[in-house]
Amino acid sequence: MKKKLLTFLALFLCTLILPAFALFVEKPSGEGAAGQSSSGGEQSGSTAAAPQGFQVEGAGTLSAEDYVVGVLCGEMPALFEREALKAQAVAAYTYACYYVQNTGDTLPAGSSSFQRYLSPEAYREMMGDKAEEYLANFHQLVGEVKNQVLVYDSQPILAVYHSISPGVTEKGETFFNGSFPYLAAVDSSSDEMEDGFAASVVFTTKELEEKLRAAFPDITFPEDPAAYLKINSFSEAGNVLEVQAGDQTVTGLALRDALGLRSAVFSVSYSGGLFTFTTKGYGHGVGMSQHGANAMAKQGKSYADILAHYYPGTSIETLS
């Protein structure tokens, strides 16, 4: 299991986490083990011991509450709906439990790690006068879901998440080996209405060559730039799986990293010496869509409803 997790983390090192500043734009608010069932019903708590603290890179030992609050600071806009923020808090705590259980390692914290932890000091510097209000709200929300963890077959799940899906979430098996039935393709069509759902970026032929050579040093190109790139296959959710780049075959994720694209759901066209890439969604698309969670909360769905939708077959267990 540890080898599987580390392989997955290496694959997504630069693709899982969303650029932090994009997340801080303020917007109008607008079946497994025992615990809380996926339909939101209350059940008895577990006898499993709840981790009360975590070793966090660059921050030392933090209480579970302080760590999860820091993840909310680093991962979700403060003005998202309360139930969406609570869903994020449970996902963050679950991921930390999963990571420590399967690796025993210190939790990474930087912007290139799986889930970003932001210290209160850094958050105050970023948010200014609103920081204290937001931090107090985060602490209250985290307290409301204290020790709650998503489980499948009585074990914490790999609770991955992203900013905006391409309209449907991606199956976990698309990107890594193993059985993760709770990382299924589910509808998230509300994402299509979000700002930033679609984006385009343009590269000159020279710029594209430089970026591809930096990522793939042995690459060679045909004479005709129009033949530099050819998409060979897509996943059912629209992620590019394989691309012919010059004389090399690379994954869509590798090309996304090389070019700094917002997602691996993209198309490319060439005209007049320019390559235009059009992307849909933001992030890897697996697990919970943060903007989709916010849309569900606006529709009156609870955090339990949101988590049950994005992680089907799981339940919420309250650790003791």
Side-chain angles (χ1 to χ4, degrees), residues 1-319:
M1 179 63 78
K2 179 175 180 179
K3 181 178 180 182
K4 183 195 309 177
L5 175 62
L6 295 180
T7 300
F8 169 66
L9 294 177
L11 178 65
F12 286 116
L13 183 61
C14 294
T15 62
L16 285 178
I17 292 305
L18 315 170
F21 291 102
L23 290 177
F24 290 107
V25 176
E26 295 185 4
K27 298 187 178 184
S29 58
E31 294 96 75
Q36 185 173 8
S37 73
S38 59
S39 61
E42 293 292 337
Q43 297 182 9
S44 61
S46 168
T47 58
Q52 296 303 306
F54 299 106
Q55 286 288 328
V56 182
E57 180 183 22
T61 302
L62 297 176
S63 70
E65 178 176 331
D66 286 344
Y67 172 71
V68 175
V69 166
V71 174
L72 288 180
C73 291
E75 288 290 347
M76 222 179 210
L79 295 184
F80 266 21
E81 297 288 325
R82 291 181 63 83
E83 294 301 303
L85 288 162
K86 286 161 69 173
Q88 177 67 74
V90 174
Y93 183 64
T94 300
Y95 172 75
C97 292
Y98 180 96
Y99 186 94
V100 172
Q101 177 177 304
N102 288 282
T103 72
D105 294 337
T106 297
L107 285 162
S111 58
S112 63
S113 61
F114 176 78
Q115 62 181 17
R116 187 186 189 213
Y117 165 83
L118 199 63
S119 70
E121 294 75 20
Y123 192 66
R124 291 184 182 104
E125 183 176 349
M126 179 176 290
M127 302 306 295
D129 293 341
K130 285 288 188 179
E132 295 305 326
E133 174 188 344
Y134 294 160
L135 285 168
N137 186 47
F138 286 163
H139 276 282
Q140 180 180 353
L141 290 168
V142 172
E144 291 175 12
V145 294
K146 182 178 180 180
N147 295 342
Q148 292 187 17
V149 62
L150 282 164
V151 298
Y152 187 89
D153 285 345
S154 301
Q155 296 298 318
I157 70 166
L158 183 59
V160 296
Y161 48 87
H162 57 281
S163 181
I164 305 172
S165 81
V168 61
T169 64
E170 184 60 80
K171 294 184 295 185
E173 288 78 6
T174 298
F175 290 135
F176 55 98
N177 296 324
S179 177
F180 298 86
Y182 50 82
L183 298 178
V186 302
D187 177 74
S188 193
S189 53
S190 63
D191 287 342
E192 297 174 5
M193 306 301 294
E194 295 291 332
D195 292 340
F197 170 75
S200 294
V201 61
V202 178
F203 300 101
T204 65
T205 299
K206 181 179 179 181
E207 289 171 338
L208 185 75
E209 289 176 353
E210 290 175 348
K211 288 181 178 294
L212 292 181
R213 286 197 178 100
F216 316 113
D218 297 328
I219 194 171
T220 60
F221 299 100
E223 291 186 8
D224 182 6
Y228 278 13
L229 295 171
K230 179 186 176 184
I231 298 175
N232 293 333
S233 60
F234 297 87
S235 72
E236 292 181 7
N239 277 279
V240 173
L241 299 179
E242 184 181 276
V243 183
Q244 188 68 33
D247 65 339
Q248 298 193 18
T249 301
V250 302
T251 66
L253 286 175
L255 191 66
R256 176 201 165 177
D257 284 350
L259 301 180
L261 304 178
R262 287 167 62 90
S263 80
V265 180
F266 62 82
S267 61
V268 57
S269 61
Y270 173 78
S271 178
L274 300 176
F275 291 85
T276 300
F277 290 82
T278 301
T279 58
K280 293 182 179 180
Y282 195 6
H284 54 81
V286 182
M288 185 179 72
S289 162
Q290 293 168 319
H291 283 258
N294 197 50
M296 288 185 68
K298 288 180 178 180
Q299 296 167 1
K301 301 298 184 181
S302 70
Y303 75 96
D305 295 329
I306 293 167
L307 294 170
H309 176 73
Y310 283 110
Y311 305 103
T314 65
S315 61
I316 301 174
E317 179 175 335
T318 302
L319 304 181

